Amino acid sequence: MSTDLPKTFDPADIEARWYSHWEANGLFRPERPDAEPFTIVNPPPNVTGSLHIGHALDNTLQDVVVRYERLRGKDALWVVGTDHAGIATQMVVERQFEASQDKRTNYSREDFVAKVWEWKEESGGTITRQLRRLGCSMDWSREQFTMSPEFTRAVTKVFVDLYNDGLIYRDKRLVNWDPKLKTAISDLEVETQDVKGGFWHFRYPLADGVTTADGKDHLVVATTRPETMLADMAVAVHPGDERYASVVGKEIVQPITGRRFKVVADEHADPELGSGVVKITPGHDFNDFEVGKRAAIAPGEMLNMLDAEGNVSQTADGLVPDEFLGLHRFRRDGTDGARELVVARMKELGFLIPHLDKDGAEHDAEPRTIATPFGDRGGVVIEPWLTDQWYVDAEKLAQAPIEAVRDGRIEIVPKSWEKTFFNWMENIQPWCVSRQLWWGHRIPAWYDEDGQAYVALTEEEAQAQAGNKKLTRDDDVLDTWFSSALWPFATLGWPEETDLLAKHYPNDLLISGFDILFFWDARMAMQGMHFLGEAPWKRLYLHGLVRAADGQKMSKSKGNVVDPLLLIDKYGADALRFFMAAMESQGRDVKMDEARVEGYRNFATKLWNATRFCQANGIGASDSVAAPAATSAVNRWIVGEVVETLAALDKAMADLRFDAAANAIYHFVWDTFCDWYLELIKGGIDDETKAVAGWTLDQILVMLHPFMPFITEELWHAQGDRRYELILAKWPQPEAAVDAAAKAEVEWLIELTRNLRGAKNELGLAPGAKLEAWLAEPSGVARKVLSGNAAAIERVARLFAVHTEPAPGGAALQVGAGGDALVIPLEGLIDIDAEKARLTKALAASEKEAKALEGRLSNANFVERAKPEAVEKARADHAHHTAEAQRLKAALERLG
């Protein structure tokens, strides 16, 4: 028995009710031990996180796929959990301490970690609650956490095994150092900002009376970071730069430190840039680090002039003057730093070359806007810093995933990302995996008093390796990307050989933003292939970013961030989900458009009202999986339309074309079912039609469910008693074919109606006006339609009669349908001459405007120099006026 639906569709009323029902009854992971597995893992959000618009896109796409595969009868497992988020979580807890005039260093490490666990239990579930609001059908019964005891055992084993395999080692290299947080950070945690700065030019004197080919006793270097000259170890010139060929191998005397170092030849120096001479500070610049290595300066010999907080410290050679020691690298709190003092001393010594502005005035530096790296959490300028860290030999681990992508064991979608993947993987650098934090997986390494490391699963095993030597554990923790790289298999019970692991590894699909392709996706491939011998997933789908409506990247500083929860509050989760799927086109970013979200809420409302119409006409739930028997053309046609829509949906899902899948079901529901089928059956709803309409609505609810789970579940039950929830229904199996004859007949009637409505609009005739038409030589399809559908033609096309004989003379309108042209006399309906004059005048105006816009758009100066929004508006206006001109021409032809 059906349940009468309220007149108004209210998303909030149904969403919480159905989600709690699904979760409480275990419907996200029904028992299907013998079913084919389908597995996908959710990129674990930070435990500190809140749902942002990128999460909404990523998780919507995953849920569409999981619900689709569950409906197809598979044992669909969507692994869910959170990442312990080392830096972010530690910062949250430290801020809480600061708010109560407390600080981390007042606690032992163990006590602080216990405080973090307390915070996690109290406040760490925000984002998981928000994922539920989006409708994510995840397996919450097995919710994972990267710091759980089980996951921690897997992380420790991976580190120890990689160390024993020679793939993890300790080394001195440059890292992204955050002087505020006092830890190394990953490239993903670095944000580049444009900062106003300076470009200083200095003379570096050549030693021992040496001069250049043109007689100069110095080389000119330019830098945006003058403070780093306290640790300079070389200057570089290009090997092909003849100006400096005679001084390669000679020495420079650094004016402030007195340090002597060589002029080296290296292609890093650009002869066309400035003087062509570059100062080399291998301990504080990533490019200089590589130049230093090529110049035979070992990392252990490279000079470090800063401490962990960014203050000047003495270099290994002891040549930094005392007045610099302890100074911060930059001006801070109104006090000059090392940068300002270096410039002042070089100026006093006569080695600063002043910059002349356009008025001839002298300045110490040329003003420049400099792309500067900042820590995304610490908020200070990142320092390339030379320090001892743990590294993974990523080059060796990258080989297996490279081959897997080449031979098709891993399919990257869209394929265009393969080039980027290969380029990065084939030029991969050692991966720094240690972080100077307390919260995280502590590195399983212990040191004796001589600094010898012992790596083991437990302290007891390390002590056994060391004998009687006293051991101290490494204070560092592992990068969170290291632990999350184990997500596809450690979440399934590895290193234990569990049934879950055997059935669900490798995973079937990973859906990920392209921005973490290297930070997460590639590293999962490395670890999965090294430890389990198989790629962690068969397909990798990379989606774009969600951008603001104008195409800009969303950021808090720009004030253009969109909160998905506010959109859910306003329009419902189903509308937001459908927007995300419909706008997700392979290889493109998604432009946020609230009007379209509202439009999809209207789409849900239309389906709601269509269901109410069905209920009002005795159309309820179907008890048939296969299509019911149908004799009328309109019923045979709608069954065929279900078949075609299902095929389009299945193809789109197989190709991971979310936009095409959403488009197929949208147009079937809105256009085919609501606008045409329900309109065509009005006035003639017999038992056959009730059965077919009820079955068709059921198929709609199943096909739409992956995209709009809440409204479809509600309507599924409102239509009648069900043996199971929609989330566990069977994917459609119509067991029917497209009836070509019925399709031709109904499409003929639809085309006639659509064209006639358009013609009425063009001529200013009332939409409801009933007209009379003549069709002297009807086609076979037309004869069938006209002979059996007079009532539908009058009701839908508003033609009270269609005569199959020659039309009377006089002005008339011609309307096409299929290959037929119906003649509709206009005498007495409109003033023909006045209408022709009106259309001709409007046509001339539209053609004139279209031509003017075409001229503007063909002007390269306008396209290249005008604001993008002005160019976009001109293109839109041109398209509008061109289409309007075509419409008006067609109207005139009809009157002709």
Side-chain angles (χ1 to χ4, degrees):
M1 179 162 310
S2 64
T3 303
D4 289 344
L5 289 168
K7 184 176 181 180
T8 304
F9 166 53
D10 179 10
D13 176 57
I14 64 175
E15 289 175 3
R17 172 161 46 86
W18 277 116
Y19 196 93
S20 60
H21 175 84
W22 292 327
E23 185 175 356
N25 288 277
L27 303 185
F28 297 147
R29 187 82 199 293
E31 289 293 329
R32 291 176 176 174
D34 300 323
E36 178 186 348
F38 179 85
T39 315
I40 188 169
V41 297
N42 181 47
N46 287 351
V47 70
T48 57
S50 295
L51 192 76
H52 58 61
I53 202 71
H55 289 135
L57 170 64
D58 193 70
N59 286 280
T60 292
L61 301 183
Q62 291 176 74
D63 198 39
V64 167
V65 174
V66 167
R67 287 180 183 269
Y68 171 72
E69 296 294 355
R70 190 184 293 118
L71 289 167
R72 295 174 74 207
K74 294 185 181 179
D75 178 14
L77 169 61
W78 187 6
V79 175
V80 62
T82 49
D83 189 282
H84 65 278
I87 293 176
T89 307
Q90 181 161 319
M91 284 184 67
V92 166
V93 177
E94 288 198 49
R95 284 198 197 105
Q96 288 186 342
F97 283 174
E98 291 169 6
S100 57
Q101 284 74 52
D102 203 351
K103 57 183 178 180
R104 171 171 60 93
T105 51
N106 289 341
Y107 297 81
S108 68
R109 182 178 189 136
E110 290 72 21
D111 288 344
F112 176 78
V113 169
K115 290 286 186 185
V116 179
W117 276 107
E118 287 178 16
W119 173 89
K120 192 264 181 188
E121 294 306 314
E122 292 172 5
S123 308
T126 298
I127 194 161
T128 57
R129 290 191 295 273
Q130 294 168 339
L131 288 170
R132 288 170 166 90
R133 287 205 62 195
L134 187 63
C136 298
S137 58
M138 296 158 160
D139 183 13
W140 296 108
S141 69
R142 296 188 60 262
E143 185 176 350
Q144 305 290 307
F145 184 50
T146 53
M147 280 289 285
S148 70
E150 298 80 11
F151 207 95
T152 297
R153 281 196 291 274
V155 172
T156 304
K157 176 175 171 55
V158 165
F159 186 95
V160 173
D161 287 359
L162 288 175
Y163 178 82
N164 291 334
D165 292 342
L167 295 170
I168 277 187
Y169 57 92
R170 196 161 172 79
D171 197 8
K172 187 181 288 292
R173 295 177 62 89
L174 281 186
V175 297
N176 295 313
W177 185 262
D178 188 316
K180 181 176 181 180
L181 303 179
K182 295 194 281 293
T183 181
I185 62 174
S186 71
D187 289 345
L188 192 64
E189 294 158 321
V190 177
E191 290 182 344
T192 299
Q193 300 177 21
D194 287 337
V195 174
K196 290 182 179 179
F199 197 47
W200 289 265
H201 292 74
F202 300 103
R203 298 184 185 90
Y204 267 23
L206 288 156
D208 305 322
V210 172
T211 60
T212 60
D214 58 357
K216 291 187 173 66
D217 63 355
H218 63 273
L219 301 180
V220 174
V221 298
T223 181
T224 59
R225 301 188 65 207
E227 68 279 4
T228 61
M229 69 173 60
L230 298 176
D232 278 357
M233 298 188 73
V235 296
V237 298
H238 193 275
D241 195 336
E242 295 181 359
R243 294 174 296 175
Y244 305 115
S246 64
V247 297
V248 172
K250 305 303 182 183
E251 291 191 329
I252 291 285
V253 179
Q254 209 289 322
I256 292 178
T257 62
R259 185 179 301 118
R260 292 171 69 107
F261 44 75
K262 292 187 180 299
V263 179
V264 301
D266 194 282
E267 292 186 352
H268 172 62
D270 183 352
E272 304 298 322
L273 189 62
S275 66
V277 182
V278 183
K279 72 183 211 62
I280 302 300
T281 318
H284 291 282
D285 183 276
F286 288 102
N287 289 321
D288 291 4
F289 180 80
E290 298 300 328
V291 174
K293 288 199 301 182
R294 290 193 291 270
I297 303 173
E301 300 171 349
M302 294 177 183
L303 299 176
N304 195 339
M305 55 160 281
L306 296 173
D307 65 17
E309 295 180 343
N311 301 318
V312 177
S313 59
Q314 188 55 268
T315 53
D317 59 7
L319 294 178
V320 176
D322 289 347
E323 65 174 331
F324 290 93
L325 300 180
L327 289 178
H328 191 64
R329 51 192 176 148
F330 314 130
R331 181 193 298 274
R332 187 170 61 175
D333 300 328
T335 303
D336 283 352
R339 173 173 295 181
E340 290 73 27
L341 187 56
V342 162
V343 172
R345 292 293 177 263
M346 290 293 281
K347 187 174 184 178
E348 290 170 6
L349 294 168
F351 293 108
L352 172 70
I353 302 172
H355 168 69
L356 299 179
D357 65 20
K358 61 182 181 180
D359 298 321
E362 287 190 358
H363 302 274
D364 288 349
E366 174 189 348
R368 285 278 182 96
T369 297
I370 300 162
T372 305
F374 283 78
D376 66 347
R377 300 191 186 278
V380 300
V381 176
I382 293 305
E383 185 65 44
W385 202 49
L386 192 64
T387 180
D388 291 308
Q389 302 283 348
W390 288 95
Y391 289 88
V392 171
D393 188 345
E395 183 180 0
K396 288 182 181 175
L397 287 176
Q399 299 312 306
I402 289 172
E403 289 307 310
V405 173
R406 287 201 194 283
D407 64 26
R409 282 174 290 156
I410 295 176
E411 177 192 2
I412 296 180
V413 182
K415 192 176 179 64
S416 55
W417 278 106
E418 282 188 6
K419 184 177 179 181
T420 306
F421 174 84
F422 289 133
N423 183 58
W424 190 79
M425 294 287 272
E426 289 167 355
N427 295 282
I428 199 167
Q429 296 297 307
W431 171 19
C432 176
V433 295
S434 45
R435 298 290 182 266
Q436 291 63 54
L437 302 168
W438 280 3
W439 172 246
H441 298 105
R442 197 165 177 183
I443 290 175
W446 289 260
Y447 302 94
D448 62 23
E449 292 174 340
D450 296 325
Q452 174 65 40
Y454 302 90
V455 174
L457 293 172
T458 65
E459 185 172 2
E460 291 73 22
E461 290 182 20
Q463 192 66 64
Q465 294 177 26
N468 296 325
K469 296 178 180 178
K470 182 181 178 182
L471 297 182
T472 303
R473 187 165 185 177
D474 197 314
D475 283 328
D476 291 352
V477 300
L478 286 163
D479 173 21
T480 55
W481 294 107
F482 184 89
S483 49
S484 63
L486 319 185
W487 199 245
F489 53 93
T491 54
L492 301 176
W494 186 92
E496 303 299 323
E497 295 182 3
T498 64
D499 292 341
L500 201 65
L501 181 67
K503 186 173 185 179
H504 290 279
Y505 187 92
N507 308 162
D508 291 271
L509 173 67
L510 177 72
I511 292 179
S512 163
F514 73 84
D515 52 335
I516 56 172
L517 171 60
F518 308 121
F519 295 101
W520 190 50
D521 307 346
R523 289 165 178 171
M524 280 190 289
M526 292 180 199
Q527 301 286 40
M529 298 198 74
H530 183 75
F531 284 97
L532 285 93
E534 288 185 90
W537 6 259
K538 299 156 193 170
R539 304 177 87 188
L540 168 59
Y541 181 85
L542 298 170
H543 60 75
L545 303 176
V546 182
R547 294 185 176 273
D550 59 3
Q552 289 194 63
K553 191 172 182 179
M554 291 187 187
S555 72
K556 291 179 181 177
S557 61
K558 293 177 183 174
N560 61 357
V561 173
V562 174
D563 184 347
L565 297 172
L566 294 179
L567 292 174
I568 291 174
D569 289 339
K570 195 170 182 180
Y571 304 111
D574 284 334
L576 178 60
R577 289 167 59 102
F578 204 92
F579 169 81
M580 290 299 178
M583 298 299 286
E584 171 52 28
S585 181
Q586 288 182 10
R588 295 184 180 180
D589 289 337
V590 172
K591 284 186 180 180
M592 195 61 231
D593 184 347
E594 187 171 340
R596 291 196 69 155
V597 180
E598 183 179 13
Y600 293 127
R601 195 272 313 277
N602 296 341
F603 169 61
T605 300
K606 191 174 184 76
L607 178 61
W608 183 273
N609 291 334
T611 307
R612 291 182 69 241
F613 169 84
C614 289
Q615 290 185 347
N617 286 277
I619 298 168
S622 174
D623 57 4
S624 173
V625 174
T631 56
S632 73
V634 71
N635 286 333
R636 287 182 286 129
W637 165 73
I638 197 65
V639 169
E641 293 298 296
V642 170
V643 172
E644 289 189 333
T645 301
L646 179 64
L649 260 176
D650 283 335
K651 183 179 188 309
M653 292 301 294
D655 295 339
L656 296 175
R657 289 302 306 261
F658 296 96
D659 53 346
N663 187 59
I665 187 63
Y666 177 90
H667 286 293
F668 177 70
V669 173
W670 189 293
D671 301 333
T672 307
F673 183 72
C674 295
D675 283 356
W676 291 112
Y677 179 70
L678 294 185
E679 190 65 31
L680 289 169
I681 65 173
K682 283 179 182 176
I685 304 179
D686 54 17
D687 288 343
E688 175 191 304
T689 301
K690 287 179 181 179
V692 172
W695 176 85
T696 302
L697 181 55
D698 275 5
Q699 308 316 298
I700 285 173
L701 298 178
V702 177
M703 291 189 289
L704 184 59
H705 179 76
F707 304 90
M708 291 183 147
F710 293 110
I711 187 174
T712 52
E713 188 77 75
E714 180 77 2
L715 298 180
W716 175 261
H717 291 277
Q719 276 296 87
D721 295 332
R722 304 287 189 173
R723 290 170 297 161
Y724 41 76
E725 285 82 352
L726 177 59
I727 192 175
L728 300 184
K730 289 184 178 179
W731 191 244
Q733 297 173 327
E735 298 180 14
V738 175
D739 188 315
K743 184 178 180 67
E745 289 178 41
V746 175
E747 287 184 350
W748 189 94
L749 177 55
I750 289 172
E751 186 179 0
L752 169 65
T753 304
R754 188 179 283 130
N755 290 342
L756 186 51
R757 287 173 178 173
K760 283 181 175 179
N761 181 57
E762 288 164 2
L763 297 176
L765 293 171
K770 289 189 177 183
L771 305 176
E772 192 174 9
W774 274 259
L775 180 57
E777 297 180 3
S779 64
V781 172
R783 286 188 185 280
K784 285 186 177 181
V785 177
L786 297 175
S787 65
N789 297 278
I793 291 171
E794 182 172 359
R795 188 179 66 258
V796 178
R798 313 300 288 171
L799 289 176
F800 67 83
V802 179
H803 307 283
T804 54
E805 57 190 61
L813 168 69
Q814 286 199 0
V815 177
D820 297 291
L822 286 80
V823 177
I824 299 172
L826 292 174
E827 293 292 344
L829 294 175
I830 61 171
D831 183 328
I832 303 295
D833 292 336
E835 185 61 22
K836 281 186 176 181
R838 184 187 71 80
L839 291 171
T840 302
K841 183 178 179 181
L843 173 62
S846 284
E847 287 181 331
K848 180 180 179 181
E849 190 63 29
K851 188 173 182 180
L853 287 162
E854 183 179 354
R856 193 186 309 175
L857 289 167
S858 63
N859 184 335
N861 283 335
F862 170 72
V863 175
E864 293 169 8
R865 296 179 183 179
K867 291 182 178 180
E869 53 267 32
V871 176
E872 190 63 33
K873 184 177 186 305
R875 286 179 176 147
D877 289 347
H878 178 259
H880 166 74
H881 286 292
T882 301
E884 182 68 2
Q886 292 172 345
R887 185 187 71 80
L888 293 166
K889 281 181 183 176
L892 277 168
E893 287 172 3
R894 286 196 181 99
L895 292 177

